[in-house]
Amino acid sequence: QSQLVESGGGLVQPGGSLRLSCAASRFTFGNYVIGWFRQAPGKEREAVSCISASGGNTNYVDSVKGRFTISRDNTKRTVYLQMNSLNPEDTAVYYCAAGRLPMYSCTVATSYNYWGQGTQVTVSS
């Protein structure tokens, strides 16, 4: 059973920062595209960012461009999402996902094979 485990969520004030981590096990991590998605209460799950297997290509949804940075360390089998200048609209459960897919479909949730359980991010004063 392949596994993805997210960590790093929590409560932060508007304007603050968090770094999420997604640790992988039981599959060839370096061959997989990793995506971050989020789901706020009453809303659809949406793509946030994704990174190619090598780490050379990244993609961001417009609402997080310039604020969030995705990166990966294949030796540690971990992907990170650095989130700066957080605002209440960023409040959601954040999920990471892994799949063998072309980058042009990395924002499509159904493209992914494996999902983590999610970590809660709450931005509030």
Side-chain angles (χ1 to χ4, degrees):
Q1 187 83 9
S2 299
Q3 188 174 25
L4 294 169
V5 178
E6 302 95 336
S7 62
L11 174 64
V12 63
Q13 292 187 338
S17 298
L18 285 173
R19 189 177 81 155
L20 305 183
S21 298
C22 171
S25 62
R26 301 176 186 159
F27 62 95
T28 311
F29 180 75
N31 291 344
Y32 282 71
V33 170
I34 303 295
W36 282 100
F37 293 77
R38 65 186 179 186
Q39 188 166 20
K43 294 188 176 181
E44 297 285 322
R45 187 173 296 191
E46 65 170 350
V48 175
S49 181
C50 40
I51 189 166
S52 64
S54 68
N57 293 317
T58 59
N59 183 294
Y60 299 92
V61 66
D62 285 346
S63 61
V64 307
K65 282 181 180 176
R67 300 189 299 123
F68 291 11
T69 303
I70 191 170
S71 61
R72 67 190 294 161
D73 185 339
N74 285 349
T75 65
K76 296 182 178 179
R77 304 173 61 86
T78 302
V79 169
Y80 306 98
L81 186 67
Q82 177 67 43
M83 306 187 297
N84 299 328
S85 302
L86 286 161
N87 59 62
E89 290 70 39
D90 297 314
T91 295
V93 178
Y94 284 69
Y95 300 88
C96 64
R100 300 195 70 173
L101 53 111
M103 280 295 287
Y104 62 73
S105 64
C106 77
T107 59
V108 179
T110 54
S111 298
Y112 291 85
N113 304 104
Y114 310 119
W115 289 83
Q117 294 300 305
T119 185
Q120 176 70 48
V121 171
T122 303
V123 185
S124 175
S125 56

